[in-house]
């Protein structure tokens, strides 16, 4: 069996690029997931603790477009 060096190099380059792009997409999706999530894990009560309600005061202009988009993705509507 003859192994072609240029073909092997192209395959290794393709695999390297595939792994690199996959890692970048993973970190981007992780960042988007953290951005959309309304509560951080440290804020979730444990045991018999109860979270107190905090009213959100809107500005006179209403919510920003980024906040509305974030709530839209969080609720999934």
């Amino acid at each position: 069996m003859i192994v072609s060096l240029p073909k092997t190099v192209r395959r290794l380059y393709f695999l390297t690029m595939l792994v690199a792009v996959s890692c970048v997409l993973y970190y981007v999706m992780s960042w988007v997931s953290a951005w959309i999530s309304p509560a951080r894990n440290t804020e979730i009560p444990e045991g018999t603790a109860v979270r107190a309600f905090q009213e959100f005061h809107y500005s006179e202009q209403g919510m920003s477009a980024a906040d509305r988009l974030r709530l839209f993705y969080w609720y999934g509507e």
Side-chain angles (χ1 to χ4, degrees):
M1 180 170 133
I2 299 174
V3 177
S4 172
L5 185 61
K7 187 183 269 188
T8 305
V9 169
R10 280 193 313 255
R11 287 181 180 169
L12 286 176
Y13 176 75
F14 175 77
L15 286 175
T16 305
M17 293 305 294
L18 180 67
V19 168
V21 169
S22 297
C23 288
V24 168
L25 286 176
Y26 171 78
Y27 286 114
V28 167
M29 293 302 290
S30 175
W31 178 79
V32 168
S33 174
W35 178 72
I36 289 176
S37 178
R40 304 290 179 244
N41 289 340
T42 57
E43 297 175 1
I44 296 174
E46 296 178 4
T48 59
V50 178
R51 183 189 313 220
F53 176 76
Q54 291 181 340
E55 184 178 343
F56 181 74
H57 298 287
Y58 296 106
S59 64
E60 294 177 3
Q61 300 169 343
M63 295 178 67
S64 69
D67 288 338
R68 284 187 282 160
L69 181 65
R70 185 173 160 197
L71 287 175
F72 175 80
Y73 285 132
W74 178 49
Y75 288 126
E77 296 179 356

